[in-house]
Every structure is written in C-alpha cells, then in structure tokens.
C-alpha cells in the first residue's frame, strides 16, 4: 500500500534568508468502503491501518455488531484511491439495505451526507459503568501518547486516538488526518483484539465533537480524555450516554464535564 507520508519540496524562510529543503506531509487519500460490491461511503483518510478502519467504521455506523460480521475484507488499490471491499453476513447486509445512506466526507467528516437532521442526533447507547481512575492515571495515560504518535512526529499534521489501561498501559494508538478516522481505526483495532473499551481510557489528541462521543458510546468507552475542549452538544450527548468526558487535559491538570464519579483520589474498581 501507499506510504502514509510523502516528502515534498519546500522553501524555508528564517528572517530575511530562504533555503530550499523538504518536509514530510501526510497523505490524504479517497477511501471507498464497499459492502457486497456496493459503495456505502467515500472518506478522505490516511492510507494506514485500513483494515482497522474498515472494521471500526462499520461498527460506529451500526453496519455490523461484531468484527466477525465481516466475512471477507480486501484492501484494493485503484487509480483514484483505495477500496475496502467487505462481504457482510446476510443479516447485516439486510440491515444495511434498510438504512442505506451515502456520505462523502472531507478528512473523515462524521456527519456529511446524512439524509436528515434526526440522523445527525441519533440516540446513543448507555455505556457500562466500567472502572474508576485517579488523576495520576489520567496524566500518565496522556503522557504515553506522544511517543506512539510516529506519523505526527514526522509530519505535525495528523490526529491520534489511543486506548490506555492501568494494567497494560497504552494498548493501541492509531493516527489519521481525520480525527473521526483515527477513532474508527482504534475502534477496529480493539474490536479485532477483543479488548473491551470499558476497561480503560479513550485518549484523543483533538477536540471532542458530538460524533466523537457517538463513536465512543458505540464502542462502549466509558471515559474520554482529550487535549482540547468539547462542544456543548458533545457534553449533552456524553451526559445521556453515561460517559465521563474529560477535556483540556494538559500537564497542569484537566477538566471533567460529565459523570465525574469515575475520577477520584483513589482508583475505584466498581462504580455504583
């Protein structure tokens, strides 16, 4: 497959002097997600971890319930991009046909092309209580991200979504030019590995919009931690889903916007 980054020429100015050089920039590739040879969506994404993307997108869109619902997956390079060709189990294909929609999203826009306003604000599932975490765990988790963000270290232009548990540390991290895509890739990775999202922290290098909360709820994540602030609608959605939403997570602290019961001075193994 195509490398996720490309070296391009640039002219660097420092003060009154210019010097020729090069820079690595992330690729942004059209990725078509097809089910039983019918195209459902075309997203602009970084061409890496595409099998995870196929599974995670299918889960977050409600097309499948489990990774095993995808009977076959082929990643095919085509002249204009990449096709993720999936074959679904018969019951899931029937469900998809009933709710078929088309969307074309710039850099993983999670809401582009929706057929109605109601679809944008679809109900979210209630997440399990999961476990509790200390403030120290939140800091440790966020500090584990930069070393794993290899594509961002090279390009300074992509988002990341990670998953951290007290026992295993940083379990997985995925990167993409689109923050929604990064979370979908992480979702697919966790689903394929059989890792329950309620056991740890979902870490985001981006702001938290409503569709990020919707994806987290579908994944079953009970705690979201992000470096930036959430939107008002994201907060309302997290409240309904029972998700602990943490934003502005920096070295000097963080802010808890919903369901603070999971965060305390001591780890809480069983949350009421």
């Amino acid at each position: 497959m195509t490398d996720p980054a490309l070296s391009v020429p640039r002219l660097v100015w420092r003060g009154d002097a210019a010097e020729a050089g090069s820079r690595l920039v992330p690729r942004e590739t059209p990725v078509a997600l097809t089910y039983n040879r019918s195209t459902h969506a075309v997203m602009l994404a970084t061409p890496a971890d595409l099998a995870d993307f196929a599974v995670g997108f299918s889960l977050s869109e409600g097309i499948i319930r489990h990774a095993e619902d995808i009977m076959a997956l082929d990643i095919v390079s085509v002249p204009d991009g990449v096709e993720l060709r999936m074959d679904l189990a018969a019951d899931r294909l029937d469900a998809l046909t009933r709710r078929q929609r088309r969307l074309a999203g710039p850099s993983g826009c999670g809401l582009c092309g929706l057929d109605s306003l109601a679809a944008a604000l679809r109900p979210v599932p209630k997440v399990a209580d999961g476990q509790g975490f200390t403030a120290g765990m939140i800091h440790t988790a966020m500090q584990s991200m930069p070393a794993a963000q290899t594509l961002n270290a090279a390009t300074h232009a992509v988002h990341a979504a990670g998953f951290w548990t007290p026992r295993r540390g940083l379990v997985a991290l995925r990167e993409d030019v689109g923050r929604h895509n990064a979370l979908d890739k992480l979702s697919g990775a966790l689903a394929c590995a059989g890792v329950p999202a309620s056991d740890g922290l979902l870490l985001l290098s981006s702001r938290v919009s409503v569709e990020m909360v919707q994806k987290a709820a579908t994944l079953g994540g009970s705690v979201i931690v992000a470096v930036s602030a959430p939107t008002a609608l994201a907060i309302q959605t997290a409240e309904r889903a029972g998700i602990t939403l943490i934003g502005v997570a920096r070295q000097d602290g963080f802010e808890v916007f919903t369901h603070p019961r999971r965060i305390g001075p001591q780890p809480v193994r069983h949350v009421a």
Side-chain angles (χ1 to χ4, degrees):
M1 299 302 295
T2 304
D3 289 335
L6 173 70
S7 180
V8 299
R10 66 173 181 175
L11 190 63
V12 183
W13 281 85
R14 296 289 185 265
D16 293 329
E19 182 180 351
S22 62
R23 169 181 283 276
L24 278 176
V25 295
R27 292 184 188 270
E28 195 172 22
T29 302
V31 177
L33 296 106
T34 70
Y35 300 94
N36 295 68
R37 302 302 179 267
S38 176
T39 299
H40 174 74
V42 178
M43 311 298 288
L44 292 174
T46 302
D49 301 306
L50 291 178
D52 291 336
F53 184 43
V55 175
F57 178 90
S58 302
L59 286 167
S60 67
E61 288 295 305
I63 295 169
I64 63 173
R65 295 193 179 99
H66 311 282
E68 295 77 14
D69 290 335
I70 298 176
M71 309 303 293
L73 167 60
D74 293 316
I75 302 173
V76 182
S77 294
V78 295
D80 294 330
V82 180
E83 289 187 10
L84 305 183
R85 297 176 179 173
M86 290 167 275
D87 291 333
L88 297 181
D91 63 326
R92 300 318 304 161
L93 182 60
D94 289 342
L96 174 62
T97 301
R98 289 194 299 269
R99 60 178 292 274
Q100 187 72 30
R101 74 181 191 181
R102 294 291 189 267
L103 55 113
S107 298
C109 173
L111 298 180
C112 299
L114 287 172
D115 290 335
S116 70
L117 293 175
L121 301 178
R122 62 184 184 272
V124 290
K126 291 280 289 187
V127 302
D129 277 338
Q131 71 172 72
F133 301 89
T134 67
M137 290 176 182
I138 304 296
H139 291 301
T140 298
M142 293 303 288
Q143 290 170 3
S144 72
M145 288 188 73
Q149 293 175 251
T150 55
L151 184 57
N152 191 59
T155 65
H156 304 286
V158 296
H159 295 290
F163 183 72
W164 184 94
T165 71
R167 184 173 63 87
R168 298 177 59 186
L170 189 64
V171 176
L173 182 139
R174 295 293 184 267
E175 297 178 279
D176 199 277
V177 291
R179 64 186 186 275
H180 314 93
N181 297 340
L183 184 52
D184 278 340
K185 288 178 178 181
L186 177 69
S187 175
L190 297 180
C192 290
V195 177
S198 59
D199 287 351
L201 304 170
L202 289 174
L203 313 176
L204 304 177
S205 69
S206 63
R207 68 181 176 89
V208 187
S209 53
V210 62
E211 59 267 40
M212 299 293 275
V213 176
Q214 290 170 334
K215 289 177 183 291
T218 301
L219 179 58
S222 57
V223 183
I224 298 172
V225 186
V227 299
S228 297
T231 67
L233 188 55
I235 293 172
Q236 296 168 14
T237 305
E239 182 67 40
R240 290 196 301 270
I243 292 174
T244 298
L245 180 54
I246 298 173
V248 201
R250 312 289 170 80
Q251 291 184 348
D252 60 346
F254 54 84
E255 300 176 17
V256 184
F257 293 89
T258 59
H259 299 282
R261 67 185 186 278
R262 295 188 180 93
I263 311 302
Q266 300 295 326
V268 182
R269 294 301 174 186
H270 301 286
V271 179

